[in-house]
Amino acid sequence: MSEPQPDPPAVEPTAPEEQLALDVADFPGGIHGALEAVLMVVDEPVTTPALASALEQPVADVEVALAELEAGYEEQRRGFTLRQVGGGWRMYSRHEYAPVVERFVLDGQQARLTQASLETLAVIAYRQPVSRSRVAAVRGVNVDGVIRTLLTRGLIEELGQDEESTATLYGTTSYFLERLGLQSIDELPALAPYLPEVDVLDEIAEGGRG
């Protein structure tokens, strides 16, 4: 009969690896640079305790650093500023630069219009008031999504309904004229001859409904 084997030695559980302590002094900009790095990526105000926790710094030190950043931006007249809103901190463009920011945003929206949107807008501009089905007939594709985009951008609007078909009619807005620097649609370039005549448009649209 074999002798009983001794129990294996107890194994001490391995403690989880401790997270390395964060020392903001190791960064070139210190606590101020660390705060700027965090505030540049947030999309809503962040509280002082939340920032202190992220940087592993005392709340009092973070409060002082935030105040110093805010004062520094003001003194340097930077294009952005740091403000405390709704109990949290966030970077904002300075209100003095609102005109240039607005121009950039509006120009960017215009630049991001797709080719399909531009083609649809051209048809509406030259054939207004025009129904969605007629626009679709000219382009040969469904334009529901494009129409919604142009409505959202404020470039076109509803102009009532067609008396016979009750279809919604669309036309361009004053904002459209403003973006093109025109006083009225009568000043549009002479591109209308390149679009189908009204009678042809009717035939195409009726064929598409059939």
Side-chain angles (χ1 to χ4, degrees):
M1 183 175 181
S2 61
E3 297 181 359
Q5 299 295 320
D7 295 332
V11 179
E12 293 291 338
T14 303
E17 183 179 355
E18 295 183 359
Q19 185 176 7
L20 295 177
L22 179 66
D23 188 355
V24 294
D26 293 337
F27 297 108
I31 187 173
H32 299 84
L35 284 170
E36 288 178 324
V38 173
L39 291 168
M40 288 296 292
V41 299
V42 301
D43 54 7
E44 59 184 16
V46 184
T47 64
T48 304
L51 290 169
S53 176
L55 272 59
E56 298 182 2
Q57 298 295 306
V59 173
D61 291 353
V62 172
E63 288 178 343
V64 171
L66 289 168
E68 291 174 345
L69 285 174
E70 183 180 19
Y73 298 152
E74 179 67 25
E75 181 180 354
Q76 298 169 28
R77 308 300 296 173
R78 303 296 294 270
F80 58 89
T81 185
L82 179 62
R83 296 208 309 266
Q84 189 174 21
V85 179
W89 294 85
R90 185 184 176 188
M91 297 285 195
Y92 292 90
S93 297
R94 295 183 65 86
H95 68 275
E96 294 93 337
Y97 297 94
V100 69
V101 173
E102 180 180 0
R103 177 176 297 180
F104 171 78
V105 172
L106 293 178
D107 287 348
Q109 286 185 348
Q110 180 69 11
R112 286 193 295 270
L113 283 178
T114 64
Q115 184 66 29
S117 297
L118 291 173
E119 292 175 0
T120 301
L121 184 58
V123 174
I124 294 175
Y126 285 102
R127 292 304 185 192
Q128 59 184 306
V130 62
S131 66
R132 188 185 309 236
S133 63
R134 290 192 177 188
V135 177
V138 172
R139 296 206 55 241
V141 295
N142 184 289
V143 296
D144 291 354
V146 177
I147 291 289
R148 286 194 296 269
T149 297
L150 296 176
L151 286 169
T152 301
R153 296 286 178 86
L155 295 169
I156 65 172
E157 61 186 348
E158 296 182 1
L159 299 179
Q161 293 182 326
D162 182 81
E163 294 182 358
E164 296 183 1
S165 65
T166 70
T168 300
L169 300 176
Y170 298 93
T172 53
T173 63
S174 58
Y175 175 66
F176 166 80
L177 295 175
E178 176 186 339
R179 297 305 302 161
L180 267 65
L182 305 176
Q183 295 294 328
S184 71
I185 58 174
D186 295 333
E187 297 181 10
L188 284 170
L191 297 179
Y194 296 97
L195 293 175
E197 295 298 330
V198 175
D199 293 341
V200 176
L201 236 169
D202 290 339
E203 294 176 1
I204 296 176
E206 290 175 359
R209 292 194 294 267

